């Protein structure tokens, strides 16, 4: 529609990431344990999404799609606005968009070149100017398949729990950043590890953050 948008890329690292903790994402002080991508930058309309559940770990299509749907509802249940829409069953996932948006919210498994990265989400939107004019217009989400074995960590603690990481990535998709590194219990805390499942449910800071936006 002629609006100029930009992309922000958020990396979810494991504790051994050589770059170390990324520090506060800004937007709020550390006492609140949440941070915004940009004040006022949120979804103005509900949009559908498309999933490519293909993976090398043998996870079924239903496992992946049901997990995404459940994790979206985890966020949606905290606010009146319907942030996430329904799965688009006709559109195709054609890869994350780093040059320009393609009007599809895509979720997929793939290879991420950044060392120690579990997953990454690209969020397109308007993040500057008057807060009332800011908005999110697209997201693309990639779960690193070659470097991690995905599954249900409640059954096998040696796995990277899919829902644990998906809930975090969806927080970026709706407009949340990583909070301060003292906020280790939040879903939006920047680091995760094998066997972790606590990010499946939201903590006080996560809930405060989504309510700040919506």
């Amino acid at each position: 529609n002629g609006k100029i948008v930009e992309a922000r890329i958020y990396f979810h690292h494991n504790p051994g990431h050589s770059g170390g903790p990324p520090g506060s994402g800004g937007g709020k002080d550390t006492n609140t344990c949440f941070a915004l991508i940009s004040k006022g930058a949120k979804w103005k309309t509900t949009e559908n999404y498309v999933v490519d559940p293909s993976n090398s770990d043998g996870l079924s299509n239903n496992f992946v799609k049901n997990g995404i749907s459940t994790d979206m509802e985890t966020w949606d249940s905290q606010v009146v606005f319907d942030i996430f829409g329904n799965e688009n069953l006709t559109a195709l996932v054609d890869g994350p968009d780093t040059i320009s948006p393609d009007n599809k919210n895509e979720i997929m498994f793939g290879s991420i070149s950044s060392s120690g990265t579990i997953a990454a989400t690209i969020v397109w939107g308007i993040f500057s100017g008057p807060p009332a004019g800011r908005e999110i217009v697209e997201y693309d989400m990639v779960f690193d398949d070659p470097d991690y074995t995905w599954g249900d960590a409640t059954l096998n603690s040696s796995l990277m729990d899919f829902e644990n990481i998906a809930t975090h990535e969806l927080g970026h998709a709706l407009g949340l950043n990583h909070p301060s590194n003292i906020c280790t219990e939040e879903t939006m805390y920047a680091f995760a590890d094998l066997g972790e499942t606590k990010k499946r449910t939201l903590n006080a800071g996560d809930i405060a953050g989504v309510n700040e936006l919506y």
Side-chain angles (χ1 to χ4, degrees), residues 123-166:
V123 184
W124 286 91
I126 300 171
F127 305 121
S128 59
R134 300 175 190 177
E135 63 179 315
I136 296 173
V137 300
E138 185 177 309
Y139 63 86
D140 291 326
M141 191 179 301
V142 182
F143 298 88
D144 192 311
D145 203 10
D147 297 319
Y148 298 94
T149 303
W150 295 87
D152 183 349
T154 65
L155 303 177
N156 182 347
S157 61
S158 68
L159 300 174
M160 188 63 71
D161 190 75
F162 179 69
E163 283 198 47
N164 187 70
I165 304 304

Side-chain angles (χ1 to χ4, degrees), residues 60-79:
S60 70
N61 289 2
N62 284 341
F63 177 90
V64 174
K65 293 187 176 189
N66 290 342
I68 290 292
S69 178
T70 296
D71 300 336
M72 287 179 169
E73 181 56 27
T74 296
W75 289 105
D76 275 339
S77 66
Q78 298 299 324
V79 292

Side-chain angles (χ1 to χ4, degrees), residues 33-54:
C33 271
F34 74 85
L36 309 179
I37 291 178
S38 177
K39 182 176 176 61
K42 61 182 179 180
W43 285 96
K44 300 295 180 68
T45 60
T46 301
E47 285 193 7
N48 294 338
Y49 61 95
V50 56
V51 182
D52 181 352
S54 303

Side-chain angles (χ1 to χ4, degrees), residues 197-212:
T197 59
K198 64 184 178 182
K199 288 186 171 72
R200 289 185 179 192
T201 56
L202 305 183
N203 211 341
D206 306 307
I207 295 170
V210 70
N211 277 276
E212 173 83 2

Side-chain angles (χ1 to χ4, degrees), residues 86-123:
N86 300 313
E87 182 186 358
N88 183 330
L89 298 175
T90 59
L92 297 177
V93 171
D94 54 16
D97 303 305
T98 58
I99 304 301
S100 62
D102 64 356
N103 217 24
K104 291 186 294 185
N105 302 309
E106 302 174 71
I107 301 172
M108 71 207 82
F109 291 87
S111 178
I112 301 175
S113 60
S114 177
S115 176
T117 301
I118 302 166
T121 297
I122 304 167
V123 184

